[in-house]
Amino acid sequence: MDEDFLRAIDNLDELIPEQKQLLDDEILICECFCVNVRDIRDSFKESKKVDLSILSERLCMGKGCGSCIKSSSEWLDKIF
Ligand code: FES
């Protein structure tokens, strides 16, 4: 087989953009107020941009222990 062809196959994963892994709807994000991923998606289904201050207003997220907001870097980009 052609060595260039084999090398191209070896590097194929570098050419394919990484698929973003979205969270399942049922995953609980805020344990204090029982807010899951679906609740968050429903709140921003038009804009598809999650706003933490609106989540706090509408769903009380962050108004308990606050750990859901503190850990937002772990889940924020996996909603949409
Ligand atoms: S987990 Fe959201 S306020 Fe505690």
Side-chain angles (χ1 to χ4, degrees):
M1 280 224 177
D2 185 299
E3 282 186 34
D4 287 338
F5 177 72
L6 292 174
R7 213 173 293 123
I9 290 175
D10 281 345
N11 298 329
L12 200 56
D13 58 332
E14 294 172 11
L15 301 173
I16 299 171
E18 212 170 289
Q19 288 285 323
K20 190 169 160 182
Q21 290 293 320
L22 298 180
L23 298 173
D24 290 337
D25 279 347
E26 302 305 322
I27 291 177
L28 198 57
I29 300 294
C30 178
E31 292 182 21
C32 295
F33 294 96
C34 295
V35 178
N36 65 19
V37 170
R38 178 183 292 121
D39 299 323
I40 297 171
R41 284 187 177 128
D42 286 349
S43 294
F44 301 100
K45 61 185 166 199
E46 308 252 330
S47 68
K48 300 203 182 308
K49 289 186 180 179
V50 179
D51 182 322
L52 294 179
S53 61
I54 291 175
L55 284 178
S56 178
E57 279 174 33
R58 289 184 190 163
L59 304 174
C60 294
M61 282 183 67
K63 292 184 176 177
C65 71
S67 66
C68 56
I69 299 300
K70 286 179 197 154
S71 67
S72 63
S73 62
E74 297 170 20
W75 55 265
L76 202 53
D77 64 344
K78 296 175 185 158
I79 302 295
F80 293 106

